[in-house]
Amino acid sequence: MPPEPSPPGFDEPGSDRIGLHIRRVPGSRFPLQVVRSNGLPEIPLTVFAGEMLTMLSGGSAYAYLREIVLFANWAARDSVAGAHAWRLYGEPREVRNLVHEYLTRVGACRVAQRPDTLGIRVSYVNTTDGTRINVRLLLAALKKLYDILKDCNLYAHPNPLVHADASRAMAEFRRGQRAAVEAVAGRLPMPPVSGVDPPPPDIRLSENYFRLVNREWQPRSIDDPDFPSRVYAAGKQHGWGLREVCAARTLLESGARISEVFALTAADWSVSSFGNRFSACNKGSFGQRVKTLVISNPTAKLYRRYFDEIRTAPSDARITVSSLARMQRNDSQQLAQIRIFLTARGNPMTARLFRDHYWRPALRRAGIEADPHTCRHWFVTNAMRHLEQSATCEAELARHKQELIEYMAWRSGEQTLRAYEHVERGHTFVTRMQSIHREMGKRERQTAKDLADDAPMPMAALDPSVDQDLAFLLGEDNDD
């Protein structure tokens, strides 16, 4: 089976030569391969790709490998790296210098060295508004790369992404913790799940040499009831067809990720007899269908119209919803091979194609700054508002929140939901501020009136500027 070419635009534009690049070879022992410009395989990175495929889904393994290849191609061309002879497979000092140079020059990050909680000197990485690389993914991929190469005897040095003194410092810290508990309680510490000892201090111990400064994740609260209508209007103005409308409505009505929508097959749709429900994969589920997406009945009708009237199949015979129903009765396994969203040439449509050529141009033309994932935030924000307003008691609210967590298939559901609750309740409080301010104004005027009644004084003795300032603060002045 001939290898598939790597995606277009993978190599950096404008490069003098093509360095390492990725190709897919389905059916091979190494389905993801990294090859050099002369066609020979880059063995260490190909081995790394093969090992990653045993741990992660194909899409995640490719993402890790892509970051490594982009980093390696840059290192081969960079003048500073060449002048200092820093190598990808060099000793830890060389690799760390390479990573530092890449983060600051290509990633536009700020990197500062300082001691951590345990006193070991590490590099802290801060992203900036100019950062256009996935720093977290890059650092994780590099650390895993050297772990795998060392296990396979393809790298002769300690892992450059792991601080040499980290294990010693962490062991000393834990010994100190045990000694402190033993000195106070006269016994060794109990496991945290026992509840006997107070919870340990919130200190995160890390062995990483490069540490991305954590910025607390906050969901984007999309408090715009008209957001879906604005999206649909933008799509109509841009010329979206039925396929794009179905995809956009699914994003907004189901809360699905864009990758989940464009991975849907006829088998996923058949769970509702081609109605308004789909089975779907989840992030990290390795393609297994572990959750359900629900859309509205009008959108389900649009799906059936798309299949019957618009969708172009790779074969000459058009596949309709009626033929899907016959396949479900006669050969249901065939449905898993039928992707719902296809291009005009009959190839599976990808999330990237929809985002770059349909979603982004339409919304930018309409002056809307939102990516497809914004639909997921809007869905959760809207659901949270509905739950807060419809619940009659705390028990009912808690039950509905748990149902939302299960529907979204969040791994850390309580933590994620608390983040949305923080946003939603913060917005709710802001909307209440007007009534709070009105009440403050009433009390202030009443107090002034009471003081005037209790201690009358000549009008000439009153400073007119005080009344004017108060009127201005309360928004009651007539001076335009």
Side-chain angles (χ1 to χ4, degrees):
M1 185 177 296
E4 296 180 4
S6 59
F10 179 81
D11 295 298
E12 293 185 9
S15 60
D16 296 333
R17 61 182 176 83
I18 299 176
L20 303 175
H21 64 276
I22 302 173
R23 66 178 180 181
R24 301 179 189 268
V25 187
S28 168
R29 179 185 173 188
F30 296 97
L32 283 178
Q33 299 180 3
V34 180
V35 296
R36 303 172 185 172
S37 56
N38 58 9
L40 296 177
E42 178 71 10
I43 294 176
L45 296 188
T46 300
V47 170
F48 166 73
E51 291 294 323
M52 293 301 291
L53 285 172
T54 66
M55 307 174 191
L56 302 172
S57 65
S60 297
Y62 183 89
Y64 275 69
L65 184 61
R66 178 184 58 198
E67 294 297 328
I68 298 293
V69 170
L70 288 173
F71 174 71
N73 282 335
W74 167 86
R77 293 189 294 263
D78 184 66
S79 58
V80 175
H84 291 83
W86 295 335
R87 299 163 299 159
L88 180 65
Y89 306 122
E91 61 182 35
R93 176 188 58 82
E94 296 179 34
V95 176
R96 289 169 183 167
N97 287 336
L98 269 179
V99 175
H100 185 282
E101 184 80 359
Y102 186 73
L103 291 174
T104 53
R105 292 190 61 188
V106 179
C109 298
R110 295 192 302 269
V111 182
Q113 283 197 336
R114 63 176 185 269
D116 70 351
T117 307
L118 302 179
I120 60 177
R121 194 168 182 82
V122 298
S123 294
Y124 286 93
V125 182
N126 285 272
T127 58
T128 65
D129 293 337
T131 301
R132 294 295 180 268
I133 64 173
N134 191 329
V135 178
R136 188 182 303 277
L137 184 61
L138 171 68
L139 296 178
L142 285 171
K143 184 179 179 182
K144 199 65 182 175
L145 168 69
Y146 292 106
D147 274 342
I148 290 175
L149 295 187
K150 188 171 178 59
D151 290 342
C152 296
N153 296 319
L154 295 174
Y155 186 69
H157 307 284
N159 192 326
L161 276 290
V162 175
H163 199 290
D165 297 329
S167 58
R168 174 192 55 78
M170 288 190 289
E172 290 180 358
F173 178 80
R174 293 191 177 99
R175 281 197 298 271
Q177 277 189 317
R178 288 195 295 269
V181 173
E182 192 171 5
V184 173
R187 57 170 174 78
L188 292 175
M190 298 291 288
V193 295
S194 67
V196 175
D197 295 325
D202 187 17
I203 298 178
R204 183 179 180 183
L205 305 180
S206 174
E207 65 179 6
N208 295 334
Y209 184 86
F210 291 95
R211 303 181 187 178
L212 181 62
V213 176
N214 287 325
R215 296 182 177 180
E216 184 180 357
W217 176 78
Q218 289 289 346
R220 297 173 57 188
S221 179
I222 310 301
D223 185 31
D224 182 3
D226 296 326
F227 179 66
S229 299
R230 293 169 59 209
V231 169
Y232 303 150
K236 182 178 180 180
Q237 185 179 11
H238 188 69
W240 280 1
L242 203 52
R243 176 188 59 189
E244 293 78 48
V245 172
C246 287
R249 292 182 71 93
T250 304
L251 290 170
L252 287 158
E253 293 178 359
S254 70
R257 299 179 180 89
I258 185 173
S259 59
E260 297 164 359
V261 172
F262 285 95
L264 293 174
T265 67
D268 299 326
W269 195 13
S270 67
V271 297
S272 63
S273 298
F274 310 104
N276 68 331
R277 287 183 296 111
F278 301 84
S279 60
C281 58
N282 193 31
K283 186 177 181 180
S285 68
F286 295 90
Q288 297 295 316
R289 271 43 185 174
V290 296
K291 68 179 186 180
T292 300
L293 304 182
V294 182
I295 58 176
S296 66
N297 287 321
T299 301
K301 292 181 180 179
L302 294 180
Y303 266 85
R304 290 190 285 270
R305 274 190 55 200
Y306 166 65
F307 248 85
D308 289 343
E309 302 174 10
I310 306 297
R311 183 179 178 274
T312 303
S315 61
D316 293 335
R318 180 181 297 277
I319 300 177
T320 64
V321 176
S322 299
S323 59
L324 291 178
R326 287 194 296 271
M327 290 182 196
Q328 185 179 18
R329 292 191 298 268
N330 302 327
D331 186 9
S332 60
Q333 293 183 352
Q334 187 179 354
L335 295 175
Q337 307 302 319
I338 301 175
R339 295 282 287 272
I340 289 181
F341 293 108
L342 298 181
T343 66
R345 296 183 178 181
N347 298 319
M349 190 171 187
T350 64
R352 180 178 178 181
L353 180 64
F354 174 77
R355 183 193 303 111
D356 293 346
H357 295 278
Y358 295 94
W359 177 277
R360 193 172 291 160
L363 269 66
R364 283 182 176 175
R365 181 180 178 184
I368 304 173
E369 290 295 331
D371 56 31
H373 200 74
T374 304
C375 299
R376 186 172 170 87
H377 293 306
W378 182 88
F379 175 86
V380 178
T381 304
N382 191 51
M384 284 295 299
R385 182 182 298 106
H386 177 76
L387 297 182
E388 294 274 2
Q389 293 175 351
S390 62
T392 57
C393 61
E394 286 296 327
E396 183 180 0
L397 180 60
R399 185 176 70 254
H400 290 334
K401 288 179 180 178
Q402 187 59 41
E403 292 170 354
L404 176 61
I405 290 174
E406 293 176 2
Y407 173 78
M408 299 298 293
W410 285 320
R411 292 181 180 178
S412 52
E414 295 293 341
Q415 179 181 357
T416 304
L417 199 59
R418 280 198 298 271
Y420 278 102
E421 284 178 335
H422 171 73
V423 172
E424 174 61 23
R425 289 178 177 174
H427 170 76
T428 302
F429 181 76
V430 169
T431 60
R432 293 175 180 169
M433 289 296 291
Q434 291 183 351
S435 61
I436 293 175
H437 291 162
R438 283 195 296 269
E439 185 63 26
M440 291 172 62
K442 290 179 182 178
R443 292 185 178 183
E444 192 168 357
R445 287 190 292 271
Q446 184 62 43
T447 300
K449 182 176 182 300
D450 293 343
L451 290 175
D453 291 342
D454 293 342
M457 59 181 63
M459 292 298 295
L462 289 173
D463 184 357
S465 65
V466 175
D467 287 339
Q468 293 172 2
D469 290 343
L470 179 61
F472 174 79
L473 292 172
L474 296 178
E476 296 175 349
D477 62 320
N478 294 322
D479 185 6
D480 294 332

